Amino acid sequence: MQTIGRRIARHGWRGVRTVVTATDPAPSWLAGRPAPVRRAVVVLLTTATVVGFPLCAALAARAHPGADGWATLVGLAEVAPLALLIRYPLLAWRVGWLAALLTPLAPGDPWGSWAWDPPQIPVFVLAFTVAALRYGRPALWTMWALMVAVLWLWIPGPDSIGGSLALAAYAVLLDALAGRAGARRALHRQAELTRAEYARRAALEERARIARELHDVVAHHMSLIAVQAETAPYRHPEVPEPVRAEFASISAGAREALADMRRLLGTLRGADPPERAPQPTLDDLPALVEGARRAGVPVTLDSTGTAGVPATVGLCAYRVVQESLSNAARHAGRAPVAVAVRRDTDLLRVSVVNAAPDVPPQPRTGGHGLAGMRERVTLLGGTLSAGLDGAGGFAVVATFPCADEPEDVS
């Protein structure tokens, strides 16, 4: 019981502090709504304020004859919450509460036994609704208690009991709606965190995959260096002793580098099984294109001057074409795709361009193919551009610095 009492007291103090001292932050209750909806709300409340002020002033003048200054002041206080509602809902409620507290003090004869003008009640309740939905349970029940206090102050007796019960029922409804809205916001935040974590993990997995593929290519060349350095004294017996020692040093350094790479790769692989298939090269592009054709995508391939391309560049170019064809099949349907791989001296250029699709493309699924391609290309010192080509199609263009692959020394 003491724990429950402390919790109630804590929430009560929090509600009082919010209602009395809190400032309204930037509006968020219309965030995410379409622009026409936001404009409609602003126009509606502005029109209600402009039209409601003379109406409230006229009704106040009728209820308080002979007090023109009071009538204008009361009318302004009654309609002011509408003007403040969008940007300052809590301030709007405060103005409405002060008007409900002070309006019965105006000289004159109010509306029978009721202490307030008819338009004042719905405006006050509207401000209570928006502020309660925005600020949550502690503020909601604090505002309810202050409203009931004003009700009992000016309307004692059976009318106040009925009004209190009706206000309590409405507060319970608002509490349920506010709880549902809070749960929905929490779920949305959690979904955003999940998406961010998924994106981070996908990026890490893609980088690990790139590292594994580069290891397979670089390890091949490092092994060749080690073998060539070790066998050089036997293949060339006339090599002097200092050169033999130099070859031995080169072999030891290559093997040490291989061991370091294997240790690093072990941490990157984790629990993933090793990939035993040979890594693809530019010579495998015709098979890749033929597979896309069998899947129903009309693809043309123009590959010239690719002999002697380094293995790392060839692997990266193959992956760029592979990912681009997958994206074209997914988003462009059966639109024609042109793949071109051309080498110009020390530069390799890869382009994959699909024509404008005949049907609307499928919505994006939040993948990381373009980011992965860009990371691969950048890692090799190249550049990649991807976007609309001006004719409704989509173009992916990658360029790589490309020197001739050194020949093996045997």
Side-chain angles (χ1 to χ4, degrees):
M1 293 297 293
Q2 292 180 351
T3 303
I4 296 176
R6 291 195 194 97
R7 182 182 297 178
I8 294 175
R10 185 170 62 252
H11 283 285
W13 170 244
R14 178 183 168 189
V16 171
R17 189 174 55 190
T18 299
V19 171
V20 175
T21 64
T23 57
D24 289 288
S28 61
W29 61 285
L30 281 177
R33 301 296 192 276
V37 174
R38 296 197 298 269
R39 286 194 294 267
V41 172
V42 172
V43 170
L44 179 62
L45 291 179
T46 303
T47 303
T49 302
V50 173
V51 174
F53 173 65
L55 176 62
C56 291
L59 292 175
R62 177 182 173 185
H64 309 282
D68 295 337
W70 271 101
T72 303
L73 184 61
V74 168
L76 180 61
E78 291 175 354
V79 79
L82 287 176
L84 300 171
L85 201 56
I86 294 179
R87 178 61 180 85
Y88 305 101
L90 190 57
L91 179 60
W93 180 87
R94 290 169 182 160
V95 171
W97 186 81
L98 288 175
L101 179 66
L102 300 178
T103 295
L105 296 176
D109 184 18
W111 300 83
S113 62
W114 197 250
W116 300 284
D117 296 334
Q120 187 174 2
I121 303 304
V123 173
F124 190 24
V125 171
L126 181 60
F128 171 59
T129 301
V130 176
L133 291 177
R134 184 168 183 181
Y135 287 93
R137 179 172 295 167
L140 185 155
W141 289 106
T142 301
M143 289 186 288
W144 173 84
L146 292 174
M147 294 168 71
V148 169
V150 171
L151 185 65
W152 279 84
L153 175 65
W154 294 115
I155 309 179
D159 290 341
S160 62
I161 296 176
S164 300
L165 293 176
L167 192 58
Y170 187 65
V172 169
L173 176 62
L174 288 181
D175 194 333
L177 294 176
R180 182 179 179 183
R184 186 177 301 170
R185 287 194 296 269
L187 182 62
H188 179 71
R189 286 194 297 269
Q190 187 60 40
E192 290 291 336
L193 292 176
T194 302
R195 282 193 290 269
E197 178 64 18
Y198 173 77
R200 187 185 70 85
R201 291 183 59 183
L204 291 177
E205 291 173 358
E206 181 66 18
R207 290 174 183 173
R209 181 184 174 190
I210 295 172
R212 291 195 297 266
E213 293 179 348
L214 286 178
H215 164 270
D216 294 339
V217 174
V218 175
H220 168 71
H221 295 289
M222 294 296 293
S223 299
L224 288 179
I225 292 173
V227 171
Q228 291 170 1
E230 285 181 353
T231 60
Y234 302 99
R235 289 182 287 106
H236 305 283
E238 70 279 4
V239 171
E241 190 62 31
V243 178
R244 290 174 180 267
E246 190 72 20
F247 277 126
S249 175
I250 293 173
S251 175
R255 293 192 179 278
E256 184 178 355
L258 278 173
D260 291 338
M261 289 180 64
R262 290 191 185 99
R263 283 193 292 268
L264 175 61
L265 185 64
T267 63
L268 291 175
R269 285 192 190 277
D272 294 341
E275 298 178 3
R276 299 186 180 275
Q279 296 298 330
T281 65
L282 291 178
D283 294 335
D284 298 309
L285 282 180
L288 177 65
V289 169
E290 184 61 31
R293 289 170 181 163
R294 287 196 299 269
V297 181
V299 185
T300 60
L301 173 63
D302 179 10
S303 178
T304 57
T306 59
V309 172
T312 52
V313 174
L315 172 61
C316 186
Y318 179 92
R319 294 302 187 195
V320 168
V321 175
Q322 184 182 45
E323 181 66 28
S324 300
L325 288 178
S326 298
N327 289 341
R330 186 183 305 113
H331 299 293
R334 297 182 179 274
V337 182
V339 179
V341 181
R342 295 186 179 90
R343 183 179 179 182
D344 181 12
T345 61
D346 291 339
L347 191 68
L348 181 70
R349 186 176 187 272
V350 178
S351 67
V352 182
V353 182
N354 63 263
D358 297 332
V359 296
Q362 296 181 8
R364 296 191 177 274
T365 57
H368 301 84
L370 290 178
M373 287 193 291
R374 187 168 284 109
E375 287 183 351
R376 288 174 181 273
V377 175
T378 304
L379 188 63
L380 298 179
T383 61
L384 184 139
S385 62
L388 298 176
D389 62 357
F394 196 85
V396 176
V397 179
T399 58
F400 304 87
C402 178
D404 285 335
E405 181 83 338
E407 298 181 357
D408 294 344
V409 178
S410 55

